Amino acid sequence: MTPVHFAFSTTFMLGLTGLAFHRTHLLSALLCLEAMMLSLFIALSTWTLQLGSTSFSASPMLLLAFSACEASAGLALLVATSRTHGSDRLQSLNLLQC
């Protein structure tokens, strides 16, 4: 495993462990998701550059577009949650009350 691949996989795993273990606030969960998507975007971009083919050149931009949509949906949920419940703590959310 090259150091570049190790750095990308470590960054993705750190975002995944942050998402799994530090779930107190919705904003921290969204930041962990964005870190995971950023590491996937950079890894996919470098992989496309290493291959040198033009057939995979649109895939990093497609991933970036999906990441932007995920971020906007997450921020909309954050605003709606903070307006209805008063905070973004995940312990105050209950799916049975919806």
Side-chain angles (χ1 to χ4, degrees):
M1 180 180 278
T2 63
V4 174
H5 290 107
F6 179 73
F8 292 140
S9 62
T10 303
T11 306
F12 183 80
M13 291 306 290
L14 281 174
L16 188 63
T17 56
L19 183 63
F21 294 123
H22 301 291
R23 295 184 302 168
T24 57
H25 293 279
L26 185 59
L27 185 62
S28 63
L30 289 174
L31 284 174
C32 289
L33 280 174
E34 286 303 314
M36 290 168 56
M37 290 301 285
L38 182 64
S39 68
L40 282 176
F41 170 71
I42 294 173
L44 191 61
S45 297
T46 56
W47 180 62
T48 304
L49 288 174
Q50 287 175 353
L51 284 179
S53 66
T54 58
S55 62
F56 294 117
S57 62
S59 58
M61 295 311 262
L62 185 65
L63 181 71
L64 193 63
F66 283 136
S67 175
C69 292
E70 176 258 333
S72 66
L75 287 176
L77 286 174
L78 176 71
V79 168
T81 303
S82 64
R83 283 186 180 174
T84 57
H85 296 308
S87 71
D88 67 335
R89 294 185 57 86
L90 292 176
Q91 284 81 18
S92 66
L93 299 177
N94 190 1
L95 289 177
L96 297 176
Q97 292 178 349
C98 292

